[in-house]
Amino acid sequence: MDKTMLADLESLPEEDKGRMSTMIEQLQIRDSLRMYNSLVERCFTDCVDTFQRKSLTKQEETCVRRCAEKFLKHSMRVGMRFAELNQGAATTD
């Protein structure tokens, strides 16, 4: 958020601030669930080949672990880069 948006939020009545806060929390939860679902779907599709056993094979388990690690590292890197860009944009105002 830039400085003007923060100033606009501060000028809201407490009731509206509470609603905005609740809405932001709900959006963050939704985004987290989407990321988790995307991770599960992608890694399952890429790594699980057969349904002959109730549990994953060692190869599938390793694949899922690596897939999840890559996905999370990528997501963290994108988040960090976004924060850097956002911070750079805020300082140029």
Side-chain angles (χ1 to χ4, degrees):
M1 274 191 230
D2 66 6
K3 293 174 189 173
T4 57
M5 288 179 73
L6 289 174
D8 289 343
L9 288 177
E10 290 301 318
S11 65
L12 291 174
E14 288 302 316
E15 183 179 322
D16 290 341
K17 284 183 193 177
R19 277 192 241 144
M20 287 295 293
S21 195
T22 300
M23 194 177 344
I24 290 169
E25 287 174 16
Q26 289 173 344
L27 290 171
Q28 288 173 336
I29 290 169
R30 186 192 68 194
D31 289 343
S32 295
L33 289 172
R34 280 185 181 165
M35 186 176 97
Y36 175 78
N37 288 336
S38 176
L39 166 67
V40 170
E41 183 177 345
R42 181 178 185 149
C43 293
F44 183 84
T45 302
D46 289 351
C47 297
V48 179
D49 300 323
T50 64
F51 295 98
Q52 296 174 354
R53 300 168 43 178
K54 287 183 181 181
S55 60
L56 297 174
T57 65
K58 198 67 170 166
Q59 182 180 358
E60 290 170 336
E61 192 175 322
T62 301
C63 179
V64 168
R65 187 179 312 108
R66 285 184 182 154
C67 178
E69 287 173 2
K70 283 182 183 180
F71 187 93
L72 293 173
K73 284 179 183 178
H74 172 74
S75 295
M76 287 175 30
R77 180 63 186 131
V78 168
M80 288 172 40
R81 184 68 179 133
F82 180 73
E84 289 169 5
L85 293 171
N86 213 14
Q87 186 178 19
T91 57
T92 60
D93 288 343

